[in-house]
Amino acid sequence: EPTVCMKNSATLALAGCLLEDNGIDYSALQLNDQKCKGSMDEQTHMVTFSFDGSNTCGTEVTTNDSQIIYKNVIKMSTSSPDSVITRDDQVYIDFSCFYTKPDVKSVAFKIKDGSVVQQVVSGVWNYTLMMNAYTNAGLTDLVGPDTEIGLNQKIWVELKTEGLDGNMVALVTNSCWATNQLSPTDTLRYDLVINGCPNPDDQTVKVEGNRLGTSNSFSFNMFQFSGKSVEIYLHCKLELCATQGHSCAQV
């Protein structure tokens, strides 16, 4: 059976009859954490192994430029884990699930128009990323198409996800900037968040909750580009980081 990745859990099922044919006792199999054993379904005779955010079972976490990968291994239990030899048949089946890091270039919206929802589909674990602007600190008064925003008025921007397991990953807002054109690479830009922190040259910018969970926010006082249109577009470079090993600690 292929690995099933859903709702932030990973499951792999093995056919009990095939294990028996190869002289393998399913009760002797384990994941990286020896306390995590397989369970036999008495009707289908499938042996299921799984891990999730609350019970990682020794899952190893690796990252690359586009993914955070969670891998575990089904293997034989051994009474002498430090032994360099064995005379028993060996089983070593690795299985993994991953989160795809968000496409940072596509999360942008015109400040006077409302919000953006981006569905991130990894093919394995899926989640939704939302970027909303509000006119109050409680994040309840959403900026809509008819919302009038004055110069120097404080705006709160929330970056929020649905479908991520906070025990496994955290959302990191690396940088945010404004342009007066839709393109995030426009040459005229103004930085609001730099390397996860407020722009030190703008005392109106505040960042809250970054790296601490599956959502965070920042605020700033509204402005416009000198001699340009009143349209402001915000763009944020976002990342996911594994919470294991304290890799999300602010540095």
Side-chain angles (χ1 to χ4, degrees):
E1 292 283 335
T3 303
V4 177
C5 304
M6 60 185 302
K7 295 183 179 180
N8 302 305
S9 67
T11 302
L12 182 64
L14 304 177
C17 60
L18 294 180
L19 293 175
E20 293 176 4
D21 289 345
N22 287 277
I24 299 171
D25 180 0
Y26 83 90
S27 65
L29 300 177
Q30 65 171 62
L31 297 183
N32 283 337
D33 185 338
Q34 63 181 2
K35 296 189 296 293
C36 296
K37 303 282 190 177
S39 60
M40 169 76 81
D41 186 305
E42 296 300 330
Q43 293 184 333
T44 64
H45 297 285
M46 299 296 289
V47 182
T48 301
F49 297 83
S50 63
F51 65 85
D52 57 28
S54 59
N55 190 13
T56 61
C57 292
T59 297
E60 298 175 352
V61 184
T62 59
T63 64
N64 56 36
D65 290 340
S66 62
Q67 299 171 339
I68 299 180
I69 304 163
Y70 295 79
K71 185 176 77 170
N72 214 311
V73 176
I74 299 173
K75 55 189 176 181
M76 294 290 291
S77 302
T78 173
S79 57
S80 302
D82 297 328
S83 176
V84 296
I85 70 166
T86 181
R87 291 187 169 88
D88 297 322
D89 290 333
Q90 295 296 289
V91 175
Y92 192 93
I93 304 171
D94 62 11
F95 65 110
S96 62
C97 292
F98 62 87
Y99 288 115
T100 295
K101 296 181 180 180
D103 182 356
V104 301
K105 298 299 184 185
S106 65
V107 185
F109 69 99
K110 190 163 56 175
I111 189 69
K112 69 177 193 177
D113 271 1
S115 62
V116 156
V117 175
Q118 176 192 4
Q119 179 72 30
V120 181
V121 180
S122 67
V124 181
W125 276 334
N126 302 330
Y127 60 97
T128 301
L129 172 63
M130 293 162 286
M131 183 176 180
N132 297 319
Y134 299 89
T135 57
N136 69 318
L139 307 179
T140 56
D141 297 333
L142 184 68
V143 173
D146 300 322
T147 304
E148 294 184 0
I149 301 174
L151 288 175
N152 210 36
Q153 178 179 346
K154 185 169 285 294
I155 296 296
W156 287 262
V157 179
E158 181 185 39
L159 296 128
K160 182 180 180 180
T161 62
E162 290 183 354
L164 290 182
D165 187 336
N167 293 321
M168 302 175 75
V169 290
L171 180 67
V172 180
T173 298
N174 188 301
S175 58
C176 292
W177 63 99
T179 64
N180 76 323
Q181 301 293 328
L182 181 59
S183 171
T185 60
D186 191 66
T187 55
L188 180 63
R189 62 178 280 169
Y190 181 75
D191 291 313
L192 294 165
V193 179
I194 304 172
N195 293 327
C197 299
N199 181 348
D201 295 327
D202 190 335
Q203 296 303 307
T204 74
V205 181
K206 307 294 181 185
V207 178
E208 297 183 16
N210 204 10
R211 299 173 177 262
L212 299 181
T214 58
S215 65
N216 57 66
S217 64
F218 68 94
S219 60
F220 66 96
N221 286 14
M222 188 60 182
F223 61 90
Q224 70 181 58
F225 289 96
S226 301
K228 302 296 182 179
S229 69
V230 297
E231 294 179 343
I232 297 293
Y233 297 85
L234 293 184
H235 315 272
C236 287
K237 180 181 179 182
L238 306 171
E239 298 178 2
L240 298 180
C241 69
T243 55
Q244 295 183 356
H246 305 290
S247 64
C248 277
Q250 184 71 50
V251 295

